[in-house]
Amino acid sequence: MNEKQILKILKDIKENRVSLKEGYNRLKDLPYYLLNDIRFDNHRKLRRGVPEVVYGEGKDLNTLFHLIENFINRKENLLITRLSPDRAEKIKDRFPQVMYDEVSRTMQLVVKKIRKKGRNILILSAGTSDL
């Protein structure tokens, strides 16, 4: 959720287009999403300008399924790192819209267009073993 979305919810509450309870329900998971004692940062995009990045290794498939579903419902992008090809295939079976890169072992869920903000990111490699 970004600043514009939060301000819209607050304005809708103020102008009685959204009930106080509905406004609360839309904002209650803003700081984090709690799933099986794991906190996923819903606030990172607002604070840092980039969506949540989840370390996928060690998280069970059901947790990842719920997480992806949550981000789809919230219309937010997500990056999952350290994801094995076999687990990625199972996720893709359920969520065909995700993209998986086998070399980097990362999975992306892109539900909103990614706007370049003028930042450069360097990835340095000493050789093919670093891929």
Side-chain angles (χ1 to χ4, degrees):
M1 190 173 293
N2 61 35
E3 181 180 352
K4 187 177 177 180
Q5 291 167 313
I6 294 169
L7 290 172
K8 183 179 180 337
I9 292 169
L10 294 173
K11 185 177 180 184
D12 287 347
I13 293 169
K14 181 180 178 183
E15 296 175 2
N16 293 316
R17 287 192 295 263
V18 170
S19 71
L20 194 56
K21 183 172 180 147
E22 175 61 24
Y24 167 78
N25 285 332
R26 291 183 188 179
L27 293 171
K28 70 179 179 171
D29 292 326
L30 182 60
Y32 61 87
Y33 170 63
L34 187 61
L35 178 63
N36 301 330
D37 297 326
I38 302 170
R39 289 179 187 218
F40 297 104
D41 190 353
N42 288 340
H43 203 247
R44 179 187 311 249
K45 182 161 181 164
L46 188 63
R47 284 190 333 272
R48 307 294 299 160
V50 295
E52 174 71 307
V53 177
V54 172
Y55 184 73
E57 195 169 70
K59 291 189 178 56
D60 65 76
L61 278 173
N62 282 331
T63 297
L64 293 173
F65 290 157
H66 287 292
L67 175 69
I68 293 167
E69 203 166 279
N70 173 267
F71 275 73
I72 289 170
N73 291 337
R74 290 182 30 248
K75 295 177 178 59
E76 293 289 340
N77 298 335
L78 174 66
L79 176 64
I80 302 173
T81 64
R82 301 286 298 221
L83 196 59
S84 66
D86 60 310
R87 294 178 70 212
E89 189 175 319
K90 290 174 184 169
I91 292 171
K92 271 192 85 57
D93 287 344
R94 185 161 175 176
F95 302 100
Q97 68 269 48
V98 298
M99 297 171 284
Y100 180 69
D101 181 81
E102 206 167 313
V103 174
S104 63
R105 294 180 17 177
T106 59
M107 179 170 277
Q108 291 181 57
L109 169 68
V110 180
V111 293
K112 275 198 240 181
K113 183 178 179 182
I114 299 171
R115 290 190 213 160
K116 188 173 184 208
K117 292 194 173 188
R119 297 182 208 162
N120 292 319
I121 299 172
L122 298 174
I123 300 174
L124 304 175
S125 170
T128 55
S129 65
D130 288 340
L131 292 176

